[in-house]
Amino acid sequence: MAPTLQQAYQRRWWMACTAVLENLFFSAVLLGWGSLLIMLKQEGFYSSLCTVENITNVTLDEQLWWPSCDQQDEMLNLGFTIGSFVLSATTLPLGILMDRFGPRPIRLIGSACFVASCTLMALASRDPEVLSPLIFLALSLNGFGGICLTFTSLTLPNMFGNLRSTFMALMIGSYASSAITFPAIKLIYDAGVAFVVIMFTWSGLACLIFLNCALNWPSEAFPAPEEVNYMMFKLKGLALDHKVTGERFYTHMTIVGQRLSQKAPSLEEGGNIFISSQDVRGPSETPSERSIPFRRSLCSPIFLWSLLTMGMTQLRIIFYMAAMNKMLEYIVIHGQEHEMNDVRQLAAETVGFYSSVFGAMQLLCLLTCPLIGYIMDWRIKDCVDNPTEGVALRDASLQGKGTSAAGGARLQPVTAFLLRDGITVKSTKRRYRKIQKLTNAISAFTLTNFLLVGFGITCLITNLHLQLVTFVLHTVVRGFFHSACGGLYAAVFPSNHFGTLTGLQSLISAVFALLQQPLFMAMVGPLEGDPFYVNLGLLVFSLLGFLLPSYLCYFRARLQREYPTDWTDPQKVHSNSELTAV
């Protein structure tokens, strides 16, 4: 019943568009916890924990009065903590399973879990006094199903060639923007639609994801464009997808021709006698990278510093999502006992309005994710991997100068330095790809950390209107830090370690985020709802994030001292020659 890989390639636009919609409405929806929390409290989940002495609010639901209290908030927040942990921590085992079985069964299981999650929430709302504990299972299934949908959709951009980065940004942006789903559902709920009806309808829509996957997703994984088995049925789309024409076509073909004309190394010499499509697209994984043990990458300072930075950022982001409603309520009532019904009503309306605004702002992730991707890709296409590649590009440009390519395009030289008859011709300064990637990662992490510090400062100020700025900073940081970390790992670690390191980092960050539950309990307990000291501690903790870009600057400086020794600068060799600019 599963389509072949070639059939899936023909349906790739349908699959990509539906994957964006599915991510937007069914993936990390749990991140819109503030709105879901209001609905759960209005439905009476764990209201049985509230006694006459600790009641802080009362919600009228038809003929039932549902009390609210701090104990109820702590119990429901524990459910969110477990669900968000599952959402982040399962990426490592999911990556291993997807490498073994492909994305199709993972996506089918994930959609089924999401259906079960919505169904359980609907059933539990029928009798919350008895069935409230089902919310823990429902939120766990919601997180697991959401990450399954997200993780499998990240393989789809492999079918789009040179549009791969664009579609990857769309997938990540739709995942990050899915926090808007529960605020949108709350608007429907406030309009008078029953919670049970909403959940059962959402469950039915999630069944369409299962059906779409069963009909359109192949049993095989989507190979990257540079893999041979993918190119076998995709050759006819090569020119359209990669636009290898003109100067690039001539340069690439010249490089391949030079390699073919060289003496093939023997297996005893440890050489690779195969010419892969990476010769056309770019550098491949070198034997030295393949020989690097995983333990070395795992214990490297860059990875260890990234664990601290990502764990700290994840804790900061998740804690704010969990405690946002309580923080807004504290700003409205100024920490005073609110016995009057009008103050109670004002606090509830204000929290509801601002939680909806916060959810709507999550759509900013669709804009911020491509932005950080642009920062990470800055000037990468103008770089070379090593001096050998630079010489090959120089020779290709010299041979192509003055000739016409397909379509009559005029070839222009792309050399860094060239020599002819003792004359040195100077052009643009050479750039190394690895160093440029490190530079971009430093810029991305530095910008993200400054935004995170600004977010922490606005959290300390008890001004209701200023919280709109806090919402924007929170959304931007959440869209930035995952993409920056992925770009860093791709730049400094071997490609065969990338998936495992990324999954391990996500798992450890999820463990860090578990600390938000005791922080939340401390805020509503001993601190009596005042978030100032918790936010101040997290602000000081977030300053440690600058240690990672500082170490990256040191690491980049060390590489810059090593790289120039591999390529003799013609300008230095012929320093006495006459310089003539082209």
Side-chain angles (χ1 to χ4, degrees):
M1 185 177 178
T4 63
L5 200 59
Q6 185 170 3
Q7 289 173 330
Y9 176 74
Q10 295 169 350
R11 306 171 189 174
R12 66 192 186 278
W13 285 99
W14 166 262
M15 295 171 65
C17 293
T18 54
V20 170
L21 292 177
E22 289 165 2
N23 282 349
L24 188 59
F25 296 110
F26 300 92
S27 59
V29 296
L30 197 57
L31 300 181
W33 170 249
S35 297
L36 176 61
L37 176 62
I38 295 175
M39 291 187 287
L40 293 178
K41 293 172 72 173
Q42 291 180 359
E43 289 297 312
F45 281 83
Y46 280 109
S47 291
S48 58
L49 297 176
C50 301
T51 61
V52 178
E53 293 79 11
N54 61 14
I55 290 177
T56 59
N57 204 345
V58 177
T59 301
L60 178 62
D61 179 30
E62 297 179 356
Q63 280 74 38
L64 295 177
W65 288 82
W66 296 114
S68 177
C69 58
D70 292 339
Q71 286 77 5
Q72 179 192 31
D73 289 331
E74 291 177 7
M75 188 62 69
L76 292 176
N77 187 72
L78 179 60
F80 169 70
T81 302
I82 296 173
S84 60
F85 174 79
V86 173
L87 182 65
S88 300
T90 52
T91 51
L92 179 59
L94 279 180
I96 298 174
L97 291 174
M98 195 162 65
D99 289 341
R100 175 67 177 84
F101 301 105
R104 177 185 170 89
I106 305 297
R107 196 171 185 84
L108 291 173
I109 294 174
S111 57
C113 288
F114 198 93
V115 171
S117 169
C118 298
T119 304
L120 285 174
M121 281 192 278
L123 294 176
S125 65
R126 301 298 297 270
D127 190 2
E129 292 185 357
V130 177
L131 301 178
S132 288
L134 287 179
I135 196 65
F136 290 99
L137 179 59
L139 294 177
S140 299
L141 290 174
N142 190 288
F144 180 75
I147 196 58
C148 285
L149 298 179
T150 303
F151 211 66
T152 53
S153 68
L154 296 181
T155 62
L156 274 175
N158 284 341
M159 295 193 294
F160 289 90
N162 63 331
L163 296 177
R164 179 165 48 172
S165 297
T166 302
F167 277 91
M168 182 67 75
L170 282 175
M171 296 301 170
I172 297 176
S174 60
Y175 156 78
S177 299
S178 60
I180 195 180
T181 304
F182 274 127
I185 288 178
K186 183 180 176 296
L187 294 177
I188 301 175
Y189 179 78
D190 292 339
V193 181
F195 186 78
V196 175
V197 174
I198 294 175
M199 287 297 110
F200 274 127
T201 303
W202 204 13
S203 177
L205 293 175
C207 292
L208 298 179
I209 304 178
F210 187 95
L211 181 62
N212 183 39
C213 178
L215 294 178
N216 295 305
W217 284 65
S219 56
E220 307 171 66
F222 300 109
E226 61 267 17
E227 294 185 10
V228 176
N229 60 342
Y230 186 75
M231 298 294 291
M232 287 177 63
F233 67 85
K234 191 172 173 289
L235 284 175
K236 63 181 181 181
L238 178 63
L240 293 177
D241 283 347
H242 299 287
K243 294 181 173 60
V244 184
T245 56
E247 177 187 26
R248 289 183 60 196
F249 176 81
Y250 188 91
T251 302
H252 292 155
M253 295 308 295
T254 303
I255 295 174
V256 174
Q258 289 175 347
R259 295 193 180 187
L260 288 173
S261 65
Q262 296 173 354
K263 178 183 177 181
S266 62
L267 291 177
E268 289 79 5
E269 296 172 342
N272 183 6
I273 64 173
F274 299 99
I275 302 297
S276 67
S277 59
Q278 276 298 104
D279 293 327
V280 178
R281 292 184 55 82
S284 60
E285 184 183 289
T286 63
S288 61
E289 285 182 333
R290 290 193 297 267
S291 63
I292 296 177
F294 177 73
R295 182 176 58 183
R296 180 176 174 184
S297 297
L298 186 65
C299 299
S300 64
I302 291 180
F303 181 69
L304 296 178
W305 283 121
S306 71
L307 290 181
L308 176 62
T309 300
M310 297 298 291
M312 172 270 301
T313 309
Q314 182 83 348
L315 173 61
R316 194 71 183 92
I317 294 298
I318 295 297
F319 173 76
Y320 185 79
M321 288 181 171
M324 181 185 69
N325 288 4
K326 278 293 181 181
M327 292 181 185
L328 294 173
E329 180 181 312
Y330 184 85
I331 294 175
V332 174
I333 66 176
H334 303 290
Q336 300 175 359
E337 294 293 334
H338 47 292
E339 299 294 339
M340 300 299 295
N341 288 333
D342 54 346
V343 179
R344 233 188 263 137
Q345 185 67 23
L346 175 62
E349 291 178 354
T350 302
V351 171
F353 172 75
Y354 275 86
S355 64
S356 299
V357 173
F358 175 77
M361 285 187 177
Q362 302 310 302
L363 287 176
L364 287 174
C365 291
L366 288 173
L367 302 176
T368 57
C369 285
L371 174 61
I372 196 66
Y374 179 77
I375 294 175
M376 295 299 295
D377 291 338
W378 176 255
R379 290 187 172 179
I380 293 296
K381 65 180 181 179
D382 300 327
C383 301
V384 297
D385 279 304
N386 49 57
T388 304
E389 182 180 344
V391 174
L393 289 172
R394 180 196 65 193
D395 295 341
S397 300
L398 282 174
Q399 296 175 19
K401 187 177 181 180
T403 62
S404 297
R410 184 76 174 177
L411 299 181
Q412 300 296 330
V414 294
T415 61
F417 293 91
L418 61 90
L419 293 174
R420 178 170 294 177
D421 300 329
I423 299 177
T424 304
V425 179
K426 184 177 181 181
S427 183
T428 58
K429 183 180 180 180
R430 63 182 181 273
R431 295 178 182 272
Y432 295 105
R433 183 171 285 109
K434 189 169 185 177
I435 292 179
Q436 186 63 42
K437 285 183 177 180
L438 280 173
T439 302
N440 296 345
I442 292 170
S443 302
F445 274 106
T446 302
L447 174 61
T448 303
N449 287 328
F450 273 117
L451 293 174
L452 186 63
V453 170
F455 165 75
I457 293 174
T458 57
C459 285
L460 295 175
I461 304 174
T462 56
N463 181 283
L464 199 57
H465 299 296
L466 187 63
Q467 298 313 302
L468 297 176
V469 178
T470 306
F471 294 167
V472 173
L473 292 174
H474 179 278
T475 303
V476 173
V477 170
R478 196 165 63 84
F480 274 14
F481 75 110
H482 281 301
S483 299
C485 184
L488 173 65
Y489 287 178
V492 301
F493 296 121
S495 59
N496 60 326
H497 295 172
F498 178 82
T500 307
L501 292 175
T502 302
L504 186 60
Q505 172 269 314
S506 183
L507 173 61
I508 295 176
S509 296
V511 174
F512 260 88
L514 290 177
L515 295 174
Q516 69 91 11
Q517 176 65 15
L519 290 177
F520 181 83
M521 295 177 65
M523 185 186 76
V524 300
L527 297 177
E528 299 180 349
D530 186 359
F532 179 82
Y533 293 103
V534 176
N535 284 328
L536 180 61
L538 290 175
L539 173 60
V540 175
F541 187 38
S542 64
L543 296 177
L544 296 177
F546 289 99
L547 295 176
L548 176 60
S550 299
Y551 180 81
L552 291 178
C553 289
Y554 162 75
F555 184 72
R556 180 185 61 180
R558 192 176 68 184
L559 284 181
Q560 288 174 332
R561 289 194 299 267
E562 295 174 357
Y563 268 58
T565 60
D566 299 330
W567 188 358
T568 302
D569 193 335
Q571 186 174 350
K572 295 181 180 179
V573 175
H574 295 266
S575 57
N576 295 328
S577 302
E578 181 181 356
L579 297 179
T580 306
V582 177

